[in-house]
């Protein structure tokens, strides 16, 4: 939703839904964890009644343990927190689940895959950032991030786990098949979809790849 036209939120939600999107991904930025600000729980609660789509909330914030309950209340169905943020990761993940929400864990391009290893059995989703977070419209960092996607898939198979592998940043019709080939099954795309004149064709092109 970062790349949507915020003056027409309800229409943009419908456009994503009728174009064949599966989930809506909402990027929350606090000006501390990343050098940008986006929107908060109130925006999530505005989006909630506009769509049937699954609401995937990505907290790029320093204190996710303090803020996640507000996003649960606003209607989030999955909440993803960063392993690099300032919190007890296990406790936050458990708290999100206890609140009745699915939980995800994200890692930045400069963070080693080993950092998330202790938490893989606690999550519904692993988000491998494919750009440095903070701004939409950046280029996909293939060399730095695809080995992590492959490791995430290998570790999931080895341990018999079931988490989704999501990629976020620089995803379009060219990069989507690269990510899926390495093991990603959830693709977050902003600019390449909301900026497309025909979103359904853009989504179809990514699925085909
Ligand atoms: Zn995101």
């Amino acid at each position: 939703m970062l790349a949507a036209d915020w003056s027409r939120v309800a229409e943009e939600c419908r456009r994503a839904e009728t174009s064949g999107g599966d989930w809506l991904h909402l990027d929350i930025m606090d000006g501390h964890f990343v050098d940008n600000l986006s929107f908060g729980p109130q925006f999530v609660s505005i989006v909630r009644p506009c769509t049937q789509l699954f609401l995937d909330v990505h907290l790029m914030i320093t204190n996710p343990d303090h803020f996640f309950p507000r996003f649960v209340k606003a209607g989030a169905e999955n909440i993803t927190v960063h392993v690099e943020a300032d919190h007890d990761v296990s406790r936050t993940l458990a708290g999100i689940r206890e609140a009745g929400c699915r939980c995800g864990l994200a890692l930045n391009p400069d963070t080693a895959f080993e950092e998330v290893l202790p938490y893989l059995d606690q999550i519904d989703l692993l988000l491998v950032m494919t750009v440095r977070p903070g701004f939409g419209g950046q280029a996909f960092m293939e060399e730095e991030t695809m080995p992590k996607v492959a490791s995430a898939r290998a570790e999931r198979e080895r341990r018999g786990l079931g988490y989704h592998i999501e990629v976020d940043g620089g995803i379009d019709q060219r990069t989507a098949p690269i990510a899926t080939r390495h093991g990603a099954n959830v693709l977050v795309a902003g600019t390449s979809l909301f900026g497309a004149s025909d979103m359904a064709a853009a989504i179809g092109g990514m699925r085909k790849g």
Side-chain angles (χ1 to χ4, degrees):
M1 287 300 287
L2 201 58
D5 178 348
W6 297 354
S7 70
R8 303 161 47 247
V9 168
E11 288 163 58
E12 291 287 72
C13 290
R14 273 195 295 280
R15 182 157 74 112
E17 199 163 331
T18 57
S19 299
D22 297 313
W23 296 5
L24 275 182
H25 183 88
L26 295 106
D27 284 314
I28 313 298
M29 304 176 184
D30 68 350
H32 294 271
F33 187 77
V34 291
D35 186 25
N36 199 4
L37 293 159
S38 60
F39 38 71
Q42 196 177 352
F43 185 80
V44 178
S45 66
I46 289 168
V47 166
R48 181 65 285 178
C50 298
T51 182
Q52 304 284 323
L53 292 175
F54 184 85
L55 291 193
D56 180 29
V57 172
H58 176 193
L59 299 184
M60 289 177 261
I61 68 177
T62 300
N63 302 117
D65 50 339
H66 177 70
F67 283 103
F68 82 76
R70 302 185 203 186
F71 290 95
V72 175
K73 204 167 157 212
E77 290 170 278
N78 179 80
I79 294 180
T80 294
V81 298
H82 270 263
V83 71
E84 304 91 352
D86 182 14
H87 61 131
D88 179 331
V89 175
S90 269
R91 244 174 77 188
T92 305
L93 293 170
I96 294 170
R97 276 205 175 155
E98 276 162 29
C101 215
R102 293 203 215 162
C103 66
L105 187 62
L107 74 165
N108 285 335
D110 299 324
T111 302
F113 179 68
E114 287 66 31
E115 298 290 320
V116 300
L117 276 176
Y119 312 109
L120 293 179
D121 59 351
Q122 278 187 267
I123 59 174
D124 300 296
L125 177 152
L126 183 73
L127 168 51
V128 179
M129 285 301 301
T130 39
V131 299
R132 291 194 182 88
F135 296 89
Q138 297 184 67
F140 182 71
M141 298 169 70
E142 180 173 349
E143 277 172 41
E144 296 87 343
T145 65
M146 287 304 101
K148 283 191 262 191
V149 171
S151 299
R153 174 165 65 183
E155 195 62 16
R156 184 180 62 190
E157 303 319 315
R158 192 180 73 76
R159 293 167 62 178
L161 299 171
Y163 52 81
H164 293 292
I165 301 172
E166 181 177 59
V167 285
D168 185 4
I171 301 296
D172 56 23
Q173 292 188 47
R174 183 189 71 80
T175 57
I178 300 171
T180 52
R181 197 168 64 238
H182 285 83
N185 71 301
V186 180
L187 308 175
V188 177
T191 316
S192 66
L193 295 186
F194 284 102
S197 53
D198 186 343
M199 189 192 278
I203 290 177
M206 286 187 198
R207 287 195 195 279
K208 249 196 337 243

